[in-house]
């Protein structure tokens, strides 16, 4: 086995599912001849043909709407949003149609929407957002956000096989992130939706996070470990459903909780976790629940402003210190 990147793992997972199941096909802008904006589907057109690798018009409402129709008719479409930000154009199709089809008349909608998200390379406010929280309150949808190469492949395969519409958020900053190149099994495997992973065990504080922020959290935990402070780091992996039990068990052990995500603070998914912990584990807390997120502005284009806007290892470390000093 050769180490692969996060990007290569996503591509391999999609390819394997298309080879395994002829009902799986993909559609999106520039995914065919061009191979995708980030080359996830490079070579797919030659291998699977234009009936299963469909270059769509620049119309996300059409992409998601057509994918929903195909899913209801028994296909398993994987729709790509070239950037997660553009999913707003297909919001109605997802939230009012796909998410409610099973509830209304029992129809399965095995649809995956791939959402390249996150700020990297100073791409500005229209190509850098983390819009996952918009969908985490919608019954009928599932939302996943893998952080590791292994999970990127395994969660994509689980998402494609699921009979519900799944939003698959893949952080662009992880695509070629050297740190997470790893060997992954050649045999078929999946990662279950709804189960968190403990990336580091600890007894003094808990960090709950997902996506690229997992690595800033691990780095902050490593810094404090040099001072004798052991921080537990939980990678949610799935946001809807999420692993509430894993969070509560950790908080009951460490008695302190820091929630970290790249999305903006107000209305971010961290608020839901904070509320649940306050309701169900309040008596175990030795300090108020703390959240660290991006500031409440559009994502800046300017490189120094983007750096100021985003959470990073230094900010996580400082927030942990404040939490522990309470």
């Amino acid at each position: 086995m050769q180490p692969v990147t996060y990007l290569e793992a996503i591509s391999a997972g999609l390819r394997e599912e298309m080879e395994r199941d002829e009902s799986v096909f993909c559609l999106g802008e520039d995914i065919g001849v061009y191979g995708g904006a980030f080359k996830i589907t490079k070579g797919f057109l030659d291998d699977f043909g234009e009936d299963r690798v469909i270059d769509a018009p620049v119309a996300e409402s059409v992409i998601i709407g057509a994918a929903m129709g195909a899913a209801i008719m028994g296909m398993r479409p994987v729709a790509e949003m070239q950037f997660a930000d553009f999913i707003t154009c297909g919001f109605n199709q997802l939230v009012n149609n796909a998410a409610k089809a099973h509830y209304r008349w029992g129809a399965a909608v095995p649809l995956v929407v791939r959402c390249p998200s996150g700020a990297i390379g100073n791409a500005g406010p229209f190509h850098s957002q983390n819009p996952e929280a918009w969908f985490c309150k919608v019954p009928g949808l599932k939302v996943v956000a893998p952080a590791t190469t292994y999970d990127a492949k395994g969660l994509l395969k689980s998402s494609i096989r699921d009979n519900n519409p799944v939003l698959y958020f893949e952080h662009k900053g992880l695509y070629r992130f050297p740190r997470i190149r790893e060997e992954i099994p050649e045999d078929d495997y999946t990662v279950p939706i709804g189960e968190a992973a403990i990336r580091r065990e600890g007894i003094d504080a808990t960090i709950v996070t997902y996506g690229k922020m997992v690595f800033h959290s691990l780095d902050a935990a490593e810094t404090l470990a040099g001072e004798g402070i052991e921080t537990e780091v939980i990678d949610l992996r799935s946001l809807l459903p999420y692993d509430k039990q894993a969070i509560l068990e950790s908080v009951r052990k460490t008695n302190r909780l820091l929630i970290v995500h790249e999305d903006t603070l107000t209305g971010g998914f961290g608020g839901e976790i904070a509320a649940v912990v306050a309701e169900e584990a309040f008596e175990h807390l030795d300090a108020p629940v703390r959240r660290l997120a991006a500031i409440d502005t559009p994502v800046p284009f300017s490189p120094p402003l983007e750096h100021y806007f985003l959470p990073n290892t230094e900010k996580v470390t400082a927030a942990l210190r404040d939490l522990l000093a309470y």
Side-chain angles (χ1 to χ4, degrees), residues 145-184:
T148 68
T149 298
Y150 180 92
D151 286 351
K153 182 177 179 182
L155 272 174
L156 180 59
K157 292 167 77 72
S158 291
S159 300
I160 292 171
R161 298 179 192 185
D162 200 290
N163 282 331
N164 300 280
V166 182
L167 278 74
Y168 179 94
F169 283 92
E170 51 197 69
H171 197 293
K172 301 189 296 294
L174 297 175
Y175 277 157
R176 296 175 178 85
F177 193 28
R179 175 173 175 176
I180 61 172
R181 286 179 64 95
E182 63 176 311
E183 296 178 354
I184 56 178

Side-chain angles (χ1 to χ4, degrees), residues 196-209 214 217-218 220-222 224-225 229-235 245-260 316 320 323-324:
I198 298 176
R199 300 298 180 193
R200 182 188 179 103
E201 294 190 356
I203 59 172
D204 296 311
T206 297
I207 296 178
V208 172
T209 186
V214 168
S217 299
L218 288 170
E222 185 67 26
L224 291 183
I229 298 167
E230 293 299 331
T231 305
E232 188 147 290
V233 178
I234 296 178
D235 174 5
Q245 192 60 36
I247 297 169
L248 293 176
E249 287 178 2
S250 182
V251 170
R252 288 166 182 155
K253 177 176 65 173
T254 68
N255 312 119
R256 286 176 168 82
L257 174 61
L258 171 65
I259 304 161
V260 181
V316 177
L320 265 179
L323 184 66
L324 290 157

Side-chain angles (χ1 to χ4, degrees), residues 13-35:
L14 179 56
R15 177 179 290 277
E16 287 179 14
E17 290 304 294
M18 291 182 71
E19 291 170 347
R20 188 187 67 86
D21 184 349
E22 290 187 355
S23 71
V24 179
F25 72 98
C26 49
L27 69 163
E29 298 160 13
D30 297 322
I31 68 165
V33 176
Y34 189 64

Side-chain angles (χ1 to χ4, degrees), residues 108-136:
V109 188
L111 159 66
V112 176
V113 182
R114 287 185 39 242
C115 304
S117 60
I120 182 173
N122 317 116
F126 303 119
H127 298 78
S128 306
Q129 295 176 81
N130 292 272
E132 62 272 6
W134 297 343
F135 303 98
C136 288

Side-chain angles (χ1 to χ4, degrees), residues 18 25-26 43-54:
M18 291 182 71
F25 72 98
C26 49
F44 278 43
L45 182 61
D46 293 335
D47 294 339
F48 298 106
E50 61 184 12
D51 289 339
R52 297 183 67 196
V53 183
I54 301 172

